[in-house]
């Protein structure tokens, strides 16, 4: 483990912490513009975080220590997730610690804890949210795994680092299986980050909400941590999308200069990603919660077909 | 010298357990002595067994013994090789925790006398250990049957309830049908030599047809014990019926005996492998896993939920075994070793975490007297020890990093991703589908475990009486904490376990992973190469803990807001009470809806005019009506015909004997030709 | 035959498969027409690539014809039909969509195993595409089976024809021009006739639900 590796890890973590709320703000702002509203500005998430951190935290009498501990854990998981996806460089120490499967496991860990915490207080909304969140998760999680596996099959590795480096290093080639994986990934992205059409992050409508129901009992600094964690999750998912489908520009050596080159390219890609997300959200309508399993099953099966296409197109008659 | 002693130690432990059992029957009602002295002694026996097995694994080699007991000319052949040693290790480690727990668990109550329970319990342990060291079919079947019998008596410990008697009967019936298949399988394996030792069976080279017959019979026999579809029907009835430590033993350890048998027959006794065997096991295993987890998600009895979850895990183990067999049939031994490692790791991981979870249900049952999830809740406030230990169990069971369940899942998925090298394109195309179902199963397991933990330990107590629930006693705590520590160790130091599995896979497929995995440092799990895949649980844990600590410190340093307590907000709804929480049925509802074709459901919906409105959904297994009832009807029909032979007059029975005798006398000369 | 063109053909093949699955999963008739047009566009692109690589000028004509006919003309007719018949609503499928897609996956595996030996015989451009084309044919067929309304069935029929054309161009570098023209004419006439049929059905039953046709049989 060299100094430059550590430095690149540190750089990535700081970049994700700072960029994550900005990405959220950018998407919100774009949506406002697309809907002919003036919008709150892209720094709004920072202001919200600042406000929440300074407020007193109110906690239910019935809440146990699990409830209190969970926001920190969720924040930690999401931060680690952003730290193990190659965003700026592929040369960093945590790349060995966790591969694509562990990444999905990390998201699952966070999901299970947030659901448990929501059940802890014992209100009707919390348990409802926990049920829905786990329900979305049980289809989205394997779908994400399948998307990652489609790339793993191409790179012959589940290590995210190897997936990205093989993609960058070899001569340009079109992989049809990635078309399926890409579509599946967009669907999973929308579901996992509580975006329209699966969930609407800006309403508290009890019939349809998923993510908001989970964190209804949190306030003050705990809520701030959870909000930050959810923007980190959005960021981590965007980074996964970039690493799998548009990795060009990620630095494959750990030098500081290459990091500084990689950063603007990465930010540019994030901006474009934000535009795509805002467009999708503006053009689609929130669907009924009963349609969500269908939506996710389609994502899951598309990812499976992606893996299948890779094997099929490579198959030779015996 | 040291090497040759391991098997002796095992035999001493077996005899020790038998002795403890006998002591128990002698002091039939001296409850304190039995609980506080005999059970912990048995537990220490387990620890000794584990140490002996561990040493044998490290030292390697095979030890054989010929004990001059049993029938004349049919002495006991015993042997201890790496495969047996690994399972003995798992058995010993699990038994230590379970026995210590039992010391605090069994109380003087109605039902079976404590001394009798002690006898059955330790006979059960001894017979399981004997299964593992048996080296001929005769000892194996003897131990196998006494294992079934002693566990049958343990299941029916509470025999005054007719439901439990029925469960026990079903268990015994299927166990015996399975045993018959095993007997036949051994019969085929010895290939008409009349010598039933395993060493003789190894030397026989069967034709593909007869090898397949032996294989199929073994699959049938062992799946009856393991609860593989469609022979799973007894498992969710029998496991919950038993006292919790016994459920833990049955789900955690006894199911693994069937896996041991499969490994012994498929990889050791049968020397040829045919590719479709692997596909069969893979398909059976995956179907079982998916079936088990879907049913687990809709259960509302906590022990049944865990029993179905055991079915799921055994299914996964079977799938890994099938994959190993498939690879080995094409001579891809390194990848076969990878799949086998996944299989064995999951054997160890599941044995420990499922035992832990069953023990926690035991504590909950004692504290509240409730098994129904709909009447539990909020126990984390009254029994924090049990709740936090259960949380470790559920995290491992959901296959989350950095716990033990994740590692076996990780290894299994890795071996699946290697598959595109198989020579048959058809098999390669199966892989995405198989991988998808594994991923789906794992995610559903998470769903189920959140339901289990959330409904039992979190939320508000759903009944008044739960407020008096007390935490587990000291023995119970030690037992559960031991299993929890092992679960965490398995998760954090996988290379250590892989080093123990290495000699086993070397015996079975001549390849091991330990050298490769060790070369990149003991903290990193790298089954094949660094570029291919690596996972460092300690790093991972460090990362999570580091990030949490960072968040904590930053928040504390930068902001000084206070924390206040008040009533739960609940969206501003002031009349919320504990009845308004989601129930276990409600939690399972989405799964019920998505997987509706899997279930046979009976719904009772309240009508507007009902005075006491009642909502009830009973979810039943379709296999019961689809497979078992036709068999039952055929059996009844046949027995009604046979029943006509029963006339009740002695002379008629004598006539039957007479006719048989004549018939045999006619047969004898013709057979001599 | 360059590497890139093989990859491109494979890519278009996957697009076609993706669109076939999208059709299975789509409830709205208007979107079905859209997907059909996109399918046509994919076929056009694939045909042009094959034409460029094999230097067969006739394939350019075929591509142009497909473009005019299947991307503009037929979708336009279908849209007009939808408007005139006023059937823009969601249509529930007979089998639910996830199970339909599962069956679809089985079909894909099946048709690939069917195509593998055939593909190994020919020296065609890209063997994998034949399997995909076959899968698309079967998927469109399944879509026709599982819809209860007449218009989605027509679209299923048309997309089946698309898949066949794709199979022909990618596996055998195109059919003779005469055959191609004949098929194109057939399709066009088919759409007209089916359109007329639909009007007739609606006048008869005041609905386009073809389950009404069951009443026509003799008791």
């Amino acid at each position: 483990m060299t100094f430059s590796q550590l430095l690149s890890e540190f750089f990535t973590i700081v970049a994700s912490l700072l960029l994550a709320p900005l990405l959220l703000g950018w998407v919100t702002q774009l949506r406002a513009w697309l809907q002919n509203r003036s919008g709150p500005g892209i720094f709004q998430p920072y202001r919200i975080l600042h406000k929440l951190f300074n407020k007193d935290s109110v906690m239910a009498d019935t809440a146990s220590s699990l409830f209190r501990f969970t926001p920190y854990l969720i924040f930690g998981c999401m931060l680690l997730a952003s730290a193990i996806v190659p965003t700026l460089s592929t040369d960093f120490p945590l790349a060995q610690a966790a591969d694509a499967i562990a990444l999905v496991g990390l998201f699952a860990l966070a999901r299970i804890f947030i659901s448990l915490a929501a059940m802890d207080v014992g209100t009707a909304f919390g348990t409802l949210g926990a049920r829905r969140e786990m329900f979305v998760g049980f289809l989205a999680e394997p779908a994400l795994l399948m998307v990652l596996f489609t790339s793993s099959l191409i790179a012959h590795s589940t290590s995210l680092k190897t997936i990205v480096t093989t993609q960058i290093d070899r001569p340009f080639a079109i992989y049809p299986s990635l078309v399926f994986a890409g579509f599946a990934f967009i669907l999973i992205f929308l579901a996992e980050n509580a975006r329209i059409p699966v969930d609407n992050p800006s309403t508290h409508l009890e019939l349809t909400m998923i993510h908001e129901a989970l964190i209804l009992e949190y306030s003050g600094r705990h809520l701030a941590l959870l909000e930050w964690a959810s923007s980190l999750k959005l960021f981590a998912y965007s980074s996964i999308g970039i690493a799998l489908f548009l990795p060009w520009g990620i630095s494959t050596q750990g030098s500081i200069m290459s990091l500084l080159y990689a950063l603007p390219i990465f930010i540019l890609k994030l901006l474009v990603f934000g535009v795509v997300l805002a467009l999708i959200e503006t053009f689609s309508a929130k669907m009924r919660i009963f349609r969500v399993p269908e939506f996710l099953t389609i994502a899951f099966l598309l990812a499976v077909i992606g893996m299948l296409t890779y094997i099929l197109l490579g198959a030779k008659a015996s | 010298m040291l090497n040759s002693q391991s098997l002796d130690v095992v035999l001493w432990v077996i005899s020790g357990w038998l002795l403890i059992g006998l002591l128990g029957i002698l002091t039939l009602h001296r409850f304190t002595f039995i609980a506080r002295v005999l059970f912990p002694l048995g537990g220490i026996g387990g620890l000794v067994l584990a140490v002996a097995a561990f040493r044998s694994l490290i030292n390697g080699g095979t030890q054989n013994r010929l004990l001059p007991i049993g029938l004349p000319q049919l002495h006991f052949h015993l042997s201890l090789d790496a495969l047996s040693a690994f399972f003995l290790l798992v058995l010993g480690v699990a038994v230590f925790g379970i026995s210590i727990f039992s010391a605090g668990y069994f109380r003087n109550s109605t039902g079976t006398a404590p001394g009798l329970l002690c006898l059955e319990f330790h006979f059960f342990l001894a017979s399981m250990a004997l299964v593992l060291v048996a080296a001929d079919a005769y000892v194996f079947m003897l131990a196998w049957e006494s294992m079934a019998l002693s566990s049958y008596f343990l299941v029916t410990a509470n025999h005054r309830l007719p439901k439990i008697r029925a469960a026990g009967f079903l268990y015994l019936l299927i166990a015996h049908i399975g045993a018959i298949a095993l007997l036949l399988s051994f019969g085929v394996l010895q290939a008409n030599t009349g010598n039933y030792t395993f060493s003789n069976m190894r030397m026989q080279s069967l034709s593909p047809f007869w090898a397949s017959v032996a294989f199929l019979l073994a699959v049938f026999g062992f799946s009856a014990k393991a609860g593989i579809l469609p022979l799973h029907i007894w498992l969710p009835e029998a496991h919950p019926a038993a006292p919790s430590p016994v459920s833990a033993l049955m789900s955690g350890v006894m199911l693994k005996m069937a896996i041991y048998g499969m490994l012994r027959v498929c990889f050791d006794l049968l020397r040829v492998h045919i590719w479709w065997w692997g596909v069969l096991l893979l398909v059976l295993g995956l179907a079982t896993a998916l079936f088990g987890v879907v049913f687990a998600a809709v259960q509302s009895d906590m022990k049944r939920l865990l029993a179905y979850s055991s079915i799921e895990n055994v299914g996964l183990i079977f799938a890994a075994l099938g994959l190993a067999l498939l690879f080995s049939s094409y001579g891809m031994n390194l990848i076969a070793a990878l799949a086998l490692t996944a299989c064995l790791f999951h054997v160890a991981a599941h044995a420990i975490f499922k035992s832990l979870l069953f023990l926690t249900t035991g504590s909950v049952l004692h504290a509240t007297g409730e098994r129904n999830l709909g009447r539990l809740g909020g126990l984390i406030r009254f029994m924090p020890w049990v709740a936090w230990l259960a949380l470790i169990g559920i995290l491992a069971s959901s296959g989350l990093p950095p716990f033990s369940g994740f590692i076996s899942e990780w290894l299994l998925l890795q071996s699946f991703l290697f598959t595109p090298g198989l020579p048959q394109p058809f098999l390669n195309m199966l892989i995405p589908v198989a991988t998808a179902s594994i991923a789906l199963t794992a995610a559903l397991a998470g769903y189920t475990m959140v339901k289990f933990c959330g409904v039992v330990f979190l939320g508000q107590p759903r009944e008044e009486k739960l407020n008096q629930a007390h935490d587990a006693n000291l023995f119970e705590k030690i037992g559960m904490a031991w299993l929890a520590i092992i679960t965490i160790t398995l998760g954090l130091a996988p290379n250590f376990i892989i080093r123990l599995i290495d000699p086993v896979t070397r015996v079975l497929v001549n390849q091991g992973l330990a050298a490769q995995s060790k070369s990149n440092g003991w903290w990193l799990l790298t089954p094949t190469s660094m570029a291919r895949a690596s996972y460092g649980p300690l790093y991972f844990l460090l990362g999570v803990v580091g990030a949490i600590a960072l968040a904590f410190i930053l928040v504390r340093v930068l902001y000084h807001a206070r924390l206040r307590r008040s009533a739960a907000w609940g969206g501003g709804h002031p009349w919320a009470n504990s009845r308004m929480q989601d129930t276990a049925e409600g939690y399972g509802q989405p799964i019920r809806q998505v997987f509706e074709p899997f279930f046979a459901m009976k719904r009772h919906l309240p009508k507007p005019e009902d005075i006491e409105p009642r909502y009830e959904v009973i979810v039943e297994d379709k296999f019961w009506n689809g497979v078992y009832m036709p068999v039952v009807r055929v059996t009844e029909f046949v027995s009604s015909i046979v029943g006509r032979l029963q006339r009740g007059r002695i002379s008629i029975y004598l006539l039957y004997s007479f006719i048989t005798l004549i018939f045999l006398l006619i047969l004898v000369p013709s057979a001599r030709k | 035959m360059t590497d890139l063109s093989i990859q491109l053909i494979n890519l278009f093949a996957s697009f076609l498969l993706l669109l076939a699955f999208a059709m299975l999963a789509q409830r709205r008739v208007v979107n079905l027409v859209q997907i059909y047009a996109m399918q046509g566009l994919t076929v056009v692109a694939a045909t042009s690539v094959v034409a460029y690589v094999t230097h067969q000028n006739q394939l350019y004509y075929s591509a142009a014809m497909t473009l005019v006919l299947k991307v503009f003309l037929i979708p336009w007719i279908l849209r007009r039909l939808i408007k005139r018949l006023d059937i823009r609503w969601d249509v529930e499928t007979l089998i639910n969509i996830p199970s339909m897609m599962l069956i679809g996956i089985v079909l894909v595996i099946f048709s690939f195993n069917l195509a593998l030996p055939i593909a190994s015989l020919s020296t065609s451009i890209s063997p994998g595409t034949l399997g995909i084309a076959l899968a698309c044919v079967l998927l469109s067929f399944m879509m026709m089976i599982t819809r209860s309304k007449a218009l989605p069935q027509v679209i299923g029929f048309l997309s089946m024809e698309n898949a066949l054309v794709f199979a022909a161009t990618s596996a055998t570098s195109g059919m003779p021009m005469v055959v191609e023209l004949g098929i194109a004419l057939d399709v066009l006439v088919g759409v007209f006739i089916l359109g007329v049929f639909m009007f007739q059905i609606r006048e008869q039953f005041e609905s386009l639900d073809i389950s009404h046709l069951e009443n026509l049989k003799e008791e």
Side-chain angles (χ1 to χ4, degrees), chain B residues 625-640:
Chain B
N625 287 328
V627 178
Y628 286 83
M629 286 324 276
V631 174
V632 169
R633 273 195 288 277
V634 169
T635 320
E636 274 177 355
F637 177 69
V638 171
S639 48
S640 72

Side-chain angles (χ1 to χ4, degrees), chain A residues 294-318:
Chain A
E294 192 182 292
F295 178 84
L296 286 168
T297 319
I298 290 172
F300 179 49
L301 293 177
L302 271 182
V304 175
I305 297 167
M307 246 178 113
L308 205 58
T309 346
Y310 175 79
I311 290 168
L312 297 179
L313 289 177
K316 290 178 190 66
S318 51

Side-chain angles (χ1 to χ4, degrees), chain A residues 1 13 17 49-50 52-66 68-69 72-77 79-80 84 93-106 108-109 111-113 115-117 119-125 127-128 130-132 134-135 137-139 141-143 145-146 149 152-153 155-159 162 204 216-217 221-222 225 290 293 297 300 304 307-308 310-312 315-318, chain B residues 380-381 388 391 394-395 398-403 406 409-410 413-414 417 420 423-425 428-433 435-437 439-440 442-444 446-451 453-455 457-460 462 523-524 530-537 539-540 543-544 547-548 550-552 554-556 558-573 576-578 580-583 586-591 593-595:
Chain A
M1 204 184 295
I13 290 174
L17 273 179
L49 286 181
H50 183 70
L52 287 175
F53 270 124
N54 275 317
K55 285 198 163 191
D56 282 1
S57 215
V58 184
M59 194 169 276
D61 297 324
T62 47
S64 70
S65 42
L66 179 83
R68 216 169 148 176
F69 165 72
Y72 296 99
L73 185 107
I74 306 291
F75 183 79
C77 283
L79 188 58
L80 187 64
I84 57 181
L94 277 175
Q96 301 173 348
D99 63 346
I101 307 172
L103 179 70
V104 177
L106 191 61
L109 185 70
R111 186 199 326 282
I112 283 189
F113 265 95
S115 305
L116 287 177
M119 292 175 90
D120 187 39
V121 177
T123 58
F125 278 122
T127 37
L128 177 95
R131 183 217 291 191
R132 285 181 178 170
M134 288 311 294
F135 182 56
F138 105 82
L139 284 166
E141 207 173 280
L145 202 59
M146 291 295 113
F149 279 173
S152 315
L153 281 178
H156 298 292
S157 164
T158 58
S159 148
T162 319
H204 285 235
L216 215 51
E217 288 296 323
R221 57 171 179 268
H222 299 121
L225 280 172
F290 300 114
T297 319
F300 179 49
V304 175
M307 246 178 113
L308 205 58
Y310 175 79
I311 290 168
L312 297 179
K316 290 178 190 66
S318 51
Chain B
I380 194 171
R381 293 178 223 355
W388 286 100
L391 187 66
I394 74 144
L395 291 177
S398 324
L400 294 176
F403 290 89
F406 177 73
E409 206 174 283
W410 191 83
L413 287 172
Q414 290 293 349
L417 287 179
Q424 293 215 11
N428 284 334
M429 289 173 201
L430 269 181
I431 294 315
V433 182
T435 320
S437 53
L440 194 63
L444 270 169
Y447 188 96
T448 311
M449 286 300 139
V450 164
K451 170 177 169 174
C453 184
V455 175
F457 296 109
L458 303 175
Q460 295 171 32
R462 289 181 175 77
W523 57 86
L524 269 190
M530 197 67 192
R532 169 110 210 177
S534 64
Y535 166 60
Y539 261 172
F540 189 90
V544 174
I548 292 171
L550 180 79
F552 193 74
L554 277 182
V555 169
R556 280 301 150 116
L558 292 178
Y559 298 100
H560 304 284
R562 286 172 305 123
L563 181 83
R564 279 191 291 127
R565 291 275 185 172
S566 94
W569 183 53
H573 212 280
N577 64 32
S578 65
M580 291 180 187
Q581 297 173 91
D582 212 349
T583 56
Y587 206 83
Q589 184 264 346
I591 303 292
Q593 206 155 33
V594 172
F595 293 98

Side-chain angles (χ1 to χ4, degrees), chain B residues 457-484:
Chain B
F457 296 109
L458 303 175
Q460 295 171 32
R462 289 181 175 77
E463 298 272 312
E464 201 57 39
K465 67 177 177 191
L466 298 186
N467 290 323
Q468 274 89 50
H470 52 86
D471 212 344
N473 62 29
L474 185 65
F475 279 107
E476 292 181 333
K477 277 181 198 162
I478 295 175
M480 288 187 289
W482 163 258
L483 294 173

